[in-house]
Amino acid sequence: MQIREQLEQLVGQGLSAAVADGSLALDEIPEAALERPRDTNNGDWASTVALRLAKTAKKNPREIAQIIVDHLPENGMIASCEIAGPGFINFTLAPEVFQGVIAQVRQEGADYAKGTIEGPNYINIEYISANPTGPFHVGHGRWAALGDATARVMRHAGYKVYEENYINDHGSQMDNFGRSVVARYLQELGHDVPLPENCYAGAYVIDIAKSIIEKDGDKWVDADEEERLLNFRERAYAYELAEQHRICDTFGTTFDKWFSERTLYVKDEEGKSQVDRALAAMDERGYLYEKDGATWFKSTAFGDDKDRVLQKSNGEYTYFTSDVAYHYNKMQRGFDHLIDLWGADHHGYIARCEAMLAAWGYPGALEVMLGQLVNLFRNGEPVRMSKRTGEMVTFEELIEEVGVDSTRWLMLSRGADQTIDFDIEVAKKKDASNPVYYVQYAHARICSILRKAAPAELAAKAEAGEISMDELVAQVLPGEIDLSVLTDPSEIALARKIETLHDFVQLAARDRAAFRMTHFCQDLAGLFHGFYTNCHVNVEDEKLRNARLALCDATRIVLALGLGLLGITAPEKM
């Protein structure tokens, strides 16, 4: 049971006792409704229950608060209670509570602060979802960081999360991509041909064309145009899709499924595609109609500003039709809730997409996170062009120069709805001005402390990576450690912060706000650096030394956990 739950139970017992002896006249016992005061000088937890009971109990809130405090059962959890303001009850917890947190962290390890979610919680989160017609841009990198970290945090909070990347590989843009490669292929072989309309003109298209020349030479110069287009389109598609897989792997972003838009249009053994089935389900509920030879979705029935065309009079499906079929497919796979991460410029699509889910009987099943842009800077000056190609800076170039960890941190340093100003030179710094370095350094410093506490041979094995830090600690520290000696304010502050991880994880998951974990990690690192300054670890008193090493170890575990929820590494040396 978490500390909050234990304290709520004590307050509930106090209320019950007050009702039982007639001190309070209540028909039912209300919830304690605890919250953390912003200022720790006001205690560790506060309850507003006395304020909420004033009308029902017909007493002054401060009087009610005193009655509750007087009826609290004896316990070793609460050090003191203060009645503040109009009737707040502020609780300061005993040091033993936070000493217990240290032991709990060391026992649970990476499972610390894991939650459980009651009821339906199978979540599909879709992010990146780029066209396979060119390199990822920096915005795609932000979606990769946001989607991945959101999934990690939600999973730790207790949700069952399925991560998906939707490949936009159907439609005219794929043919345009193929034509662009054909033009570059012929140009590289000395033929004077113009670039087609709506072409992809990036240098990467020339690279694809050159790769075809290296393998096939001029074999395709006089080939059938349709055959050549199909061949080049599919080879270019495979090339870019492989690049997307490679960059996601480099960035540490993995998906349970890469879903191809093309598959939505493939006929099954019954001669029906997923598009057919999605539209049929919508039609059965009376939300399709024919007008001017086209098929329309009655999205205005669900608050959209106008109805939407799904199939044009010439038989072609609209872009929105793919969205319809894809989201229907998701729901048919058994998900309880869908989260889509889109760029802010797609805001106008939300109403129609919510409408399509409602039309099938899934109102509220779709949640859209809108991500704002990333502005690149170098020493405060805007960066718009790649040094390598003279075109846009690609996501791959950014992580090559800055590194995965710094890129992730800065992409996650603000909420999705806020623009990121990403200064490349700041991200590369190896000092406290770079927040991810500051946090990682705290973890590395702890590992150094633990190695120094070990016999030389054991420390050397850990330094060489022959044994893990967990294995080292298991041999350095005894099984039973007396933590009661940890009473210094720096020690308690550090343990208190560690205990708040439960709340950070749950709230970050609930609000889809993984950026809060960057704040937690920074605060924890700062408190550790303060503890290290105020409290010598390697003291002569063995009991105190072991207790402080245990506190260091618990901090190491939680720092690594917090960084891991952001997809960032926790180095053991720097």
Side-chain angles (χ1 to χ4, degrees), residues 496-545:
R496 180 187 288 115
K497 187 65 186 180
I498 288 172
E499 189 273 326
T500 66
L501 182 61
H502 290 93
D503 286 352
F504 269 86
V505 169
Q506 289 299 322
L507 293 175
R510 184 199 68 185
D511 299 338
R512 322 300 190 228
F515 76 94
R516 290 177 183 162
M517 294 308 305
T518 64
H519 300 321
F520 174 85
C521 291
Q522 271 186 280
D523 291 346
L524 184 61
L527 287 168
F528 173 76
H529 291 311
F531 154 77
Y532 186 74
T533 299
N534 297 328
C535 302
H536 295 294
V537 177
N538 191 25
V539 294
E540 290 187 8
D541 185 329
E542 183 179 10
K543 181 187 290 187
L544 183 58
R545 181 176 67 250

Side-chain angles (χ1 to χ4, degrees), residues 279-289 296-298 301-302 359:
L279 298 189
M282 195 173 278
D283 192 29
E284 286 175 8
R285 296 177 68 90
Y287 294 111
L288 293 189
Y289 65 91
W296 295 70
F297 166 42
K298 197 184 299 182
F302 304 97

Side-chain angles (χ1 to χ4, degrees), residues 224-432:
D224 176 79
E225 290 186 5
E226 285 301 315
E227 181 184 358
R228 181 175 62 196
L229 173 60
L230 178 62
N231 183 279
F232 282 26
R233 184 189 71 189
E234 294 308 301
R235 289 166 78 167
Y237 166 44
Y239 177 94
E240 283 303 326
L241 189 59
E243 286 292 284
Q244 291 186 3
H245 275 274
R246 180 180 62 79
I247 294 166
C248 283
D249 288 344
T250 299
F251 199 56
T253 297
T254 58
F255 292 97
D256 296 292
K257 187 177 186 65
W258 291 65
F259 191 104
S260 167
E261 181 183 359
R262 292 179 174 184
T263 62
L264 297 171
Y265 295 86
V266 176
K267 302 288 185 182
D268 59 21
E269 62 277 2
E270 296 180 6
K272 294 182 178 180
S273 68
Q274 294 182 57
V275 169
D276 296 330
R277 295 187 181 281
L279 298 189
M282 195 173 278
D283 192 29
E284 286 175 8
R285 296 177 68 90
Y287 294 111
L288 293 189
Y289 65 91
E290 301 295 321
K291 178 184 175 183
D292 300 329
T295 301
W296 295 70
F297 166 42
K298 197 184 299 182
S299 57
T300 52
F302 304 97
D304 195 8
D305 60 348
K306 62 181 180 180
D307 291 344
R308 305 292 172 174
V309 176
L310 294 174
Q311 190 172 24
K312 302 176 186 178
S313 57
N314 63 4
E316 292 181 5
Y317 289 112
T318 62
Y319 181 81
F320 179 53
T321 307
S322 290
D323 286 334
V324 170
Y326 178 42
H327 285 81
Y328 183 72
N329 172 274
K330 287 182 185 180
M331 296 307 297
Q332 294 305 297
R333 283 187 272 151
F335 296 107
D336 301 307
H337 191 66
L338 311 181
I339 301 175
D340 289 359
L341 185 54
W342 299 348
D345 57 333
H346 285 72
H347 180 273
Y349 289 87
I350 295 177
R352 72 189 71 172
C353 288
E354 289 176 336
M356 69 188 176
L357 269 297
W360 294 309
Y362 307 120
L366 176 64
E367 173 186 347
V368 177
M369 292 175 59
L370 292 176
Q372 292 292 339
L373 299 176
V374 179
N375 298 318
L376 285 184
F377 294 86
R378 192 182 296 276
N379 289 323
E381 295 296 321
V383 176
R384 294 186 176 87
M385 296 299 174
S386 163
K387 288 183 178 180
R388 184 187 304 169
T389 65
E391 298 166 343
M392 74 168 188
V393 179
T394 66
F395 178 47
E396 181 178 20
E397 287 178 289
L398 182 64
I399 59 177
E400 281 178 354
E401 182 171 358
V402 172
V404 170
D405 287 342
S406 286
T407 301
R408 272 185 175 267
W409 182 280
L410 286 174
M411 293 295 191
L412 293 167
S413 60
R414 291 189 172 190
D417 60 346
Q418 293 183 292
T419 301
I420 294 287
D421 290 338
F422 191 120
D423 195 303
I424 293 170
E425 295 305 320
V426 171
K428 290 161 61 176
K429 287 184 177 179
K430 306 292 184 184
D431 59 37

Side-chain angles (χ1 to χ4, degrees), residues 81-332:
C81 298
E82 179 188 3
I83 298 169
F88 297 104
I89 308 175
N90 294 337
F91 300 96
T92 297
L93 303 183
E96 291 84 355
V97 174
F98 300 110
Q99 294 157 5
V101 169
I102 299 165
Q104 182 184 0
V105 170
R106 298 190 66 238
Q107 179 180 3
E108 296 180 5
D111 287 335
Y112 179 68
K114 263 195 172 178
T116 55
I117 303 294
E118 295 183 2
N121 65 87
Y122 189 21
I123 311 297
N124 178 297
I125 179 166
E126 175 212 331
Y127 57 100
I128 301 184
S129 302
N131 295 339
T133 54
F136 284 149
H137 54 63
V138 173
H140 291 132
R142 190 177 189 195
W143 314 155
L146 281 169
D148 180 70
T150 300
R152 290 170 186 259
V153 169
M154 291 185 70
R155 199 171 280 122
H156 202 76
Y159 295 89
K160 183 180 178 183
V161 182
Y162 189 91
E163 297 171 76
E164 194 152 310
N165 188 350
Y166 180 60
I167 310 167
N168 294 277
D169 55 6
H170 178 79
S172 60
Q173 80 273 8
M174 297 305 299
D175 286 336
N176 291 337
F177 189 30
R179 292 188 188 96
S180 303
V181 177
V182 169
R184 291 302 192 186
Y185 170 83
L186 294 173
Q187 288 175 355
E188 286 297 309
L189 291 172
H191 295 269
D192 185 16
V193 296
L195 291 175
E197 188 178 353
N198 299 320
C199 75
Y200 293 87
Y204 67 95
V205 180
I206 298 174
D207 293 336
I208 297 172
K210 286 180 177 178
S211 71
I212 295 175
I213 293 171
E214 287 177 10
K215 185 172 183 180
D216 293 355
D218 63 358
K219 164 184 173 180
W220 296 98
V221 171
D222 297 319
D224 176 79
E225 290 186 5
E226 285 301 315
E227 181 184 358
R228 181 175 62 196
L229 173 60
L230 178 62
N231 183 279
F232 282 26
R233 184 189 71 189
E234 294 308 301
R235 289 166 78 167
Y237 166 44
Y239 177 94
E240 283 303 326
L241 189 59
E243 286 292 284
Q244 291 186 3
H245 275 274
R246 180 180 62 79
I247 294 166
C248 283
D249 288 344
T250 299
F251 199 56
T253 297
T254 58
F255 292 97
D256 296 292
K257 187 177 186 65
W258 291 65
F259 191 104
S260 167
E261 181 183 359
R262 292 179 174 184
T263 62
L264 297 171
Y265 295 86
V266 176
K267 302 288 185 182
D268 59 21
E269 62 277 2
E270 296 180 6
K272 294 182 178 180
S273 68
Q274 294 182 57
V275 169
D276 296 330
R277 295 187 181 281
L279 298 189
M282 195 173 278
D283 192 29
E284 286 175 8
R285 296 177 68 90
Y287 294 111
L288 293 189
Y289 65 91
E290 301 295 321
K291 178 184 175 183
D292 300 329
T295 301
W296 295 70
F297 166 42
K298 197 184 299 182
S299 57
T300 52
F302 304 97
D304 195 8
D305 60 348
K306 62 181 180 180
D307 291 344
R308 305 292 172 174
V309 176
L310 294 174
Q311 190 172 24
K312 302 176 186 178
S313 57
N314 63 4
E316 292 181 5
Y317 289 112
T318 62
Y319 181 81
F320 179 53
T321 307
S322 290
D323 286 334
V324 170
Y326 178 42
H327 285 81
Y328 183 72
N329 172 274
K330 287 182 185 180
M331 296 307 297
Q332 294 305 297

